[in-house]
Amino acid sequence: AQKVTQAQTEISVVEKEDVTLDCVYETRDTTYYLFWYKQPPSGELVFLIRRNSFDEQNEISGRYSWNFQKSTSSFNFTITASQVVDSAVYFCALSEASRDDKIIFGKGTRLHILP
Amino acid sequence: DGGITQSPKYLFRKEGQNVTLSCEQNLNHDAMYWYRQDPGQGLRLIYYSQIVNDFQKGDIAEGYSVSREKKESFPLTVTSAQKNPTAFYLCASSPPAFADTQYFGPGTRLTVL
């Protein structure tokens, strides 16, 4: 069974629209970490955020915000006022304390921001 | 500047040849990782190393080998036993204080002809 599910394979929005990328995870650990990474066309994965399982506070960083809800096992990522430079593949990932810090990646969501 | 370097960016090899991908970091990170990415797929872990002279198999280690003789370097050899070696390979490392946060290099795209 997939541990990290990103149901949206590909999304296209017009520039300046808001967009939310969904992530649902599955774990039996009580201690775990969730991540979002951005992969622009150059290929390198860029770390965006790390959230531990004991911190359910939502986080905002500029135009980026993250909504962590343990009750629904979701860690969604919202980009407000999207820009063309936001076009990339975004990966949600999970690290479980019982798995030696190994990260499990979702399959990614390809985001197209149209000018 | 500190960072993770992978070379070369693009690599072409003939079928049946072994090839070694380079990964170097000057971040003083203890742990290093190799991932494989195929089109439309997430990253899959090949090998990882938490300390020098020690490494463990990941989820798809067959057909690959690694070494960790120095803290800064974690080369990956794609052997002729790897059935489908054409892919994008990403190296990552993680710092001792936040062992679960990984930082990635630019990747090497390997094409086997």
Side-chain angles (χ1 to χ4, degrees):
Chain A
Q2 267 187 304
K3 290 213 166 192
V4 180
T5 302
Q6 296 180 254
Q8 305 149 308
T9 304
E10 201 157 346
I11 302 175
S12 294
V13 299
V14 177
E15 195 173 18
K16 298 183 184 177
E17 287 185 353
D18 298 347
V19 58
T20 295
L21 308 183
D22 298 332
C23 175
V24 174
Y25 63 93
E26 178 188 333
T27 181
R28 293 184 180 178
D29 283 25
T30 54
T31 302
Y32 55 90
Y33 298 87
L34 296 163
F35 305 82
W36 276 95
Y37 284 87
K38 174 182 180 180
Q39 186 177 40
S42 61
E44 180 174 350
L45 262 74
V46 178
F47 168 73
L48 296 178
I49 190 170
R50 167 183 176 266
R51 171 67 76 228
N52 75 57
S53 52
F54 301 106
D55 182 3
E56 284 193 77
Q57 272 194 330
N58 292 331
E59 180 152 344
I60 298 174
S61 177
R63 297 183 296 107
Y64 295 172
S65 62
W66 291 269
N67 181 272
F68 176 27
Q69 292 196 337
K70 288 177 77 170
S71 60
T72 56
S73 297
S74 65
F75 186 45
N76 297 337
F77 172 32
T78 297
I79 302 174
T80 58
S82 61
Q83 300 176 2
V84 172
V85 292
D86 296 327
S87 297
V89 180
Y90 290 86
F91 291 97
C92 180
L94 166 71
S95 170
E96 298 166 294
S98 65
R99 276 178 50 94
D100 210 17
D101 298 328
K102 289 187 287 185
I103 292 182
I104 306 161
F105 287 85
K107 293 191 174 183
T109 296
R110 183 174 296 277
L111 177 63
H112 300 279
I113 307 299
L114 308 173
Chain B
D1 284 355
I4 304 171
T5 57
Q6 291 184 244
S7 60
K9 179 72 173 176
Y10 299 95
L11 191 55
F12 297 89
R13 279 295 181 269
K14 291 183 178 179
E15 194 172 347
Q17 289 182 334
N18 291 357
V19 60
T20 298
L21 281 59
S22 166
C23 177
E24 304 278 332
Q25 54 98 1
N26 60 4
L27 301 168
N28 198 34
H29 287 179
D30 287 322
M32 297 186 74
Y33 309 81
W34 274 105
Y35 292 89
R36 170 183 173 137
Q37 185 180 22
D38 294 286
Q41 300 293 316
L43 279 67
R44 293 184 290 169
L45 182 63
I46 305 172
Y47 267 98
Y48 65 105
S49 166
Q50 294 183 307
I51 55 172
V52 175
N53 293 321
D54 188 44
F55 48 83
Q56 287 79 40
K57 293 182 179 180
D59 300 318
I60 56 166
E62 186 175 349
Y64 299 98
S65 66
V66 292
S67 63
R68 187 85 187 277
E69 297 177 1
K70 298 187 299 182
K71 187 175 186 178
E72 302 79 19
S73 178
F74 191 41
L76 173 74
T77 297
V78 184
T79 74
S80 56
Q82 168 50 232
K83 294 180 181 178
N84 297 298
T86 294
F88 187 52
Y89 291 88
L90 284 155
C91 178
S93 67
S94 59
F98 299 98
D100 49 303
T101 300
Q102 296 177 18
Y103 296 89
F104 286 79
T108 293
R109 190 168 300 279
L110 173 64
T111 302
V112 175
L113 307 170

Coordinates of all heavy atoms in Angstrom, one line a residue, chain B residues 12 14 19 22 24 34 37 39-40 44 49 58 64 71 76 84-85 89 94 100 104 106 109:
Chain B
F12 N 26.2 8.9 -21.0 CA 25.7 7.9 -21.9 C 26.7 6.7 -21.9 O 27.9 6.9 -21.8 CB 25.7 8.5 -23.4 CG 24.7 9.6 -23.5 CD1 25.1 10.9 -23.3 CD2 23.4 9.4 -23.9 CE1 24.2 12.0 -23.4 CE2 22.5 10.4 -24.0 CZ 22.9 11.7 -23.8
K14 N 27.1 2.3 -23.2 CA 26.7 1.2 -24.0 C 26.2 0.1 -23.0 O 26.7 0.0 -21.9 CB 27.8 0.6 -24.8 CG 28.2 1.6 -26.0 CD 29.2 0.9 -26.8 CE 29.6 1.8 -28.0 NZ 30.7 1.2 -28.8
V19 N 29.1 1.7 -15.0 CA 29.3 3.1 -15.0 C 29.2 3.6 -13.5 O 28.4 3.1 -12.8 CB 28.3 3.8 -15.9 CG1 26.9 3.6 -15.4 CG2 28.6 5.3 -15.9
S22 N 29.3 10.0 -9.7 CA 29.9 10.7 -8.6 C 29.0 11.5 -7.7 O 28.0 12.1 -8.3 CB 31.0 11.6 -9.2 OG 31.5 12.5 -8.2
E24 N 29.6 14.2 -4.3 CA 30.4 14.8 -3.3 C 29.7 15.9 -2.6 O 28.9 16.6 -3.2 CB 31.6 15.5 -4.0 CG 32.5 14.5 -4.9 CD 33.4 13.7 -4.2 OE1 33.9 14.1 -3.1 OE2 33.8 12.6 -4.7
W34 N 21.4 7.5 -2.2 CA 21.2 7.5 -3.7 C 19.8 7.1 -4.0 O 19.3 6.1 -3.4 CB 22.1 6.5 -4.3 CG 23.5 7.1 -4.7 CD1 24.7 6.8 -4.0 CD2 23.8 8.0 -5.7 NE1 25.7 7.6 -4.6 CE2 25.2 8.2 -5.7 CE3 23.0 8.6 -6.8 CZ2 25.8 9.1 -6.6 CZ3 23.6 9.4 -7.7 CH2 25.0 9.7 -7.6
Q37 N 15.0 8.0 -10.1 CA 13.7 8.6 -10.4 C 13.4 8.2 -11.9 O 14.2 8.4 -12.8 CB 13.7 10.1 -10.3 CG 12.4 10.7 -10.6 CD 12.4 12.2 -10.4 OE1 13.4 12.9 -10.5 NE2 11.2 12.8 -10.2
P39 N 10.4 8.4 -15.1 CA 9.3 9.4 -15.5 C 8.0 9.1 -14.8 O 7.5 7.9 -14.8 CB 9.2 9.2 -17.0 CG 10.6 8.7 -17.4 CD 11.1 7.9 -16.2
G40 N 7.4 10.1 -14.2 CA 6.1 9.9 -13.6 C 6.1 9.2 -12.2 O 5.1 8.9 -11.7
R44 N 13.0 6.5 -5.6 CA 13.1 5.2 -4.9 C 14.6 5.1 -4.4 O 15.5 5.3 -5.1 CB 12.8 4.0 -5.9 CG 11.3 4.0 -6.3 CD 11.0 2.8 -7.2 NE 11.6 2.9 -8.5 CZ 11.6 1.9 -9.4 NH1 11.2 0.7 -9.1 NH2 12.2 2.1 -10.6
S49 N 24.0 5.5 3.4 CA 25.2 5.3 4.3 C 25.1 6.4 5.4 O 24.9 7.5 5.1 CB 26.5 5.5 3.5 OG 27.6 5.7 4.4
G58 N 18.9 -0.1 0.0 CA 17.6 0.5 0.0 C 16.5 -0.4 -0.6 O 16.7 -1.7 -0.5
Y64 N 23.2 -2.5 -8.4 CA 24.0 -1.3 -8.0 C 25.0 -1.7 -6.9 O 24.8 -2.6 -6.2 CB 23.0 -0.2 -7.5 CG 22.0 0.3 -8.4 CD1 20.7 -0.3 -8.4 CD2 22.3 1.2 -9.4 CE1 19.7 0.2 -9.3 CE2 21.3 1.7 -10.2 CZ 20.0 1.2 -10.2 OH 19.1 1.6 -11.0
K71 N 34.0 10.7 4.1 CA 32.7 11.3 4.5 C 32.1 12.1 3.4 O 30.9 12.2 3.2 CB 33.0 12.2 5.7 CG 31.7 12.8 6.4 CD 32.1 13.5 7.6 CE 30.8 14.0 8.4 NZ 31.2 14.7 9.6
L76 N 28.2 5.9 -6.8 CA 27.3 4.8 -7.1 C 27.7 4.2 -8.4 O 27.9 4.8 -9.4 CB 25.9 5.3 -7.3 CG 24.8 4.4 -7.8 CD1 24.4 3.4 -6.7 CD2 23.6 5.1 -8.3
N84 N 17.4 -2.3 -16.1 CA 16.8 -1.0 -16.8 C 17.6 0.2 -16.2 O 17.0 0.9 -15.4 CB 15.3 -0.9 -16.5 CG 14.6 -2.0 -17.2 OD1 14.6 -2.2 -18.4 ND2 13.9 -2.8 -16.4
P85 N 18.8 0.4 -16.5 CA 19.6 1.4 -15.9 C 19.3 2.9 -16.3 O 19.6 3.8 -15.6 CB 21.0 1.1 -16.3 CG 20.9 0.4 -17.6 CD 19.6 -0.4 -17.5
Y89 N 19.3 9.9 -11.7 CA 19.9 9.5 -10.4 C 20.1 10.7 -9.5 O 20.9 11.7 -9.9 CB 21.1 8.7 -10.6 CG 20.8 7.3 -11.2 CD1 20.8 7.2 -12.6 CD2 20.6 6.2 -10.4 CE1 20.5 5.9 -13.1 CE2 20.3 5.0 -10.9 CZ 20.3 4.8 -12.3 OH 20.0 3.6 -12.9
S94 N 22.3 14.3 4.6 CA 21.5 14.9 5.7 C 22.5 15.2 6.8 O 23.4 14.5 7.1 CB 20.4 14.0 6.2 OG 20.9 12.7 6.6
D100 N 16.8 13.5 9.6 CA 15.7 13.1 8.7 C 15.5 14.1 7.6 O 14.7 13.8 6.7 CB 14.4 12.9 9.4 CG 14.2 14.1 10.4 OD1 15.0 14.4 11.2 OD2 13.1 14.6 10.2
F104 N 19.5 17.7 -1.6 CA 19.8 16.9 -2.8 C 20.8 17.6 -3.7 O 20.8 18.9 -3.8 CB 18.5 16.7 -3.6 CG 17.6 15.7 -3.0 CD1 16.8 15.9 -1.9 CD2 17.6 14.4 -3.5 CE1 16.0 14.9 -1.4 CE2 16.8 13.4 -3.0 CZ 16.0 13.6 -1.9
P106 N 22.2 18.0 -7.9 CA 21.5 18.4 -9.1 C 21.1 17.1 -10.0 O 20.3 17.3 -10.9 CB 22.5 19.2 -9.9 CG 23.8 18.8 -9.4 CD 23.6 18.4 -7.9
R109 N 21.6 12.3 -15.3 CA 20.7 11.6 -16.1 C 21.5 10.6 -16.9 O 22.3 10.9 -17.8 CB 20.0 12.5 -17.1 CG 18.8 11.8 -17.8 CD 17.9 12.8 -18.5 NE 17.3 13.7 -17.6 CZ 16.2 13.5 -16.9 NH1 15.6 12.3 -17.0 NH2 15.7 14.4 -16.1

